[in-house]
Amino acid sequence: MVSEKEAFRTTVLIADDSEPNREILSEFLEPEGYTVVLAENGEQALAHFDSERVDLALLDVMMPKVTGFDVCKTLKANPETRLIPVVLVTGLTQSQDRIRGIECGADDFLSKPVAREELLARVRSLLRLKQFTDELENAETVLFSLALSIEAKDPYTGGHCDRLSKYSVALAERLGLREELRVALRRAGIVHDIGKLAVPEHILLKPGPLNPEEWVIMKQHPVFGERICSPLKSFRHVLPIIRHHHEKMDGSGYPDGLKGEQIPLTARVLTAVDIYDALTTERPYRKALPPGEAFATLQEEATRGWWDPDLVKELQATLTASEPASLTTTL
Ligand SMILES: [Fe+2]
């Protein structure tokens, strides 16, 4: 079991090819209770992130082979490490270094020679920020786990949420949607049905068709879902997708009966992908349709006034294009 001391341990990585510099920084940090790990170069620094938890990195910019800039860039490009604060340690007058550091995603800079008080103040404030983002991430993780627990109840929907996220992001990229909307779609793919938590199991898992009273409850799941996720500020672009993922273009959907462009574009994107994935997955009452037939059905239903016909076309183009980046990577 992890001891209490261990759980609250804060680890700072110091990467510098100069031993005296590493020593000075450790001497400032260790008496304050930080655990310090040392790296003599960029390669060693990156290896530490693979093998242990690091809460903050202090990187000298000039190191042989893999520089502090390279390490910073690598950390910020990886979803697992991008929220770890990185402080670049630069020469006093190197404004070029700072510009390059900003481009690499550095969170802060310290000038050599590093002053003790300044170092401690920067480290403290960056760690405080990190704590907030960690808490936010934890909240997000709880929501994702809850959402996936609903998916797990239905053996026929295995992997549905994951595919929904990936295909929606790929379609959003094709449409040129800005990053925050793409991130919202990735999240909505996972949590869109989280409101089903509030739907009783005898309705949710009923093998036959629902009666009118049961439908009234089932149709509330987007509203419940919006309510569950609404305390999270970072989910503000996700909420409209959750609420409106069962609307139809002709106004016959639920919960609000919105029509056409009244339905947020992101919700229309998720709906098109949701229906496509449902058609191409095996269900108790029918076999999975091949992609061509699924798109023919989607287009027919779009003509009937249910789905956005342009988005159906764009989705088909997205999924038939060779390997869209989002189908293999995560945001
Ligand atoms: Fe739903």
Side-chain angles (χ1 to χ4, degrees), residues 5 12 23 42 50 66 72 74 110 127 161 168 171 173 195 228 242 246 249 271 301 307 316:
K5 199 175 164 206
V12 177
E23 272 173 15
D50 289 335
V66 182
C72 182
T74 307
L110 277 171
L127 286 172
C161 291
S168 304
L171 175 52
E173 271 174 8
I228 291 169
I242 298 176
H246 283 291
M249 296 294 277
T271 305
E301 291 177 349
W307 324 127
Q316 186 164 19

Side-chain angles (χ1 to χ4, degrees), residues 2-23:
V2 183
S3 70
E4 201 172 313
K5 199 175 164 206
E6 183 86 1
F8 291 100
R9 201 179 68 147
T10 304
T11 303
V12 177
L13 171 88
I14 298 170
D16 199 311
D17 55 332
S18 142
E19 194 180 352
N21 285 351
R22 291 195 299 271
E23 272 173 15

Side-chain angles (χ1 to χ4, degrees), residues 192-193 196 221-222 242 245-246 254 274:
H192 66 289
D193 270 342
K196 286 184 177 172
H221 82 266
I242 298 176
H245 76 274
H246 283 291
Y254 61 90
D274 193 11

